[in-house]
Amino acid sequence: MTIYSLRFLTEDDRRLLLEKARHVAYRFGDVIVAEGSRQQALYLLRRGQVRVEHRGISGAAVVAILGPGEVFGEMSFVDHEGASAAVVADGEVEVDVIDSEQMNALLFSVPGLAARFFHSLAVTLSQRLREARELSER
């Protein structure tokens, strides 16, 4: 599986991540991550598509659509805060979930993994921020 959002990882890094992950399937409309929830996990989208929704005064607004190879849950993983948005299955979805304890154990034990991982997340978050800004300016 190619993890596009974690582009600076090596093949060995990806293999290690997937070995530590648990595989979970969802159906259309299932809430994978609830907005505000304090789950401490990283989600790797294996198959299908998800909607990232933020609830505002006028209801839920879709702020992103993610597909296979994308990662989500990264903001809560990094800052240990509640989820900034909900993630909802937009059809049949399969994800690999790596809890924070497993992820942190890998980051501390594999030389160079932390640098490659956080570099990947920084680039992904930067791109998502730019996309959100472009959408807000329309």
Side-chain angles (χ1 to χ4, degrees):
M1 171 185 165
T2 301
I3 307 168
Y4 301 110
S5 295
L6 300 176
R7 70 190 76 203
F8 298 110
L9 297 185
T10 67
E11 286 304 315
D12 284 342
D13 294 339
R14 289 182 180 90
R15 182 183 48 76
L16 285 170
L17 287 180
L18 295 176
E19 284 175 5
K20 299 294 183 185
R22 71 182 190 282
H23 189 78
V24 185
Y26 296 93
R27 294 185 188 156
F28 177 80
D30 286 349
V31 176
I32 301 168
V33 175
E35 187 170 349
S37 67
R38 292 196 171 268
Q39 93 299 332
Q40 292 296 306
L42 201 62
Y43 297 79
L44 309 171
L45 188 52
R46 176 181 286 262
R47 183 177 73 83
Q49 182 173 284
V50 298
R51 297 184 316 271
V52 180
E53 300 177 345
H54 178 67
R55 188 159 298 283
I57 295 171
S58 60
V62 175
V63 294
I65 302 289
L66 304 177
E70 300 262 21
V71 64
F72 57 93
E74 74 285 351
M75 287 175 59
S76 293
F77 176 81
V78 170
D79 67 13
H80 305 287
E81 296 290 327
S84 64
V87 180
V88 180
D90 207 16
E92 298 294 316
V93 170
E94 293 179 21
V95 297
D96 290 312
V97 183
I98 306 167
D99 67 50
S100 63
E101 290 177 12
Q102 293 282 336
M103 190 68 213
N104 285 322
L106 285 173
L107 292 174
F108 287 113
S109 66
V110 178
L113 176 57
R116 293 185 296 273
F117 174 77
F118 285 110
H119 184 196
S120 296
L121 282 188
V123 170
T124 296
L125 289 170
S126 176
Q127 289 174 330
R128 289 182 180 169
L129 183 58
R130 287 178 192 278
E131 290 168 4
R133 183 175 175 204
E134 288 173 13
L135 283 175
S136 72
E137 291 176 351
R138 290 182 185 168

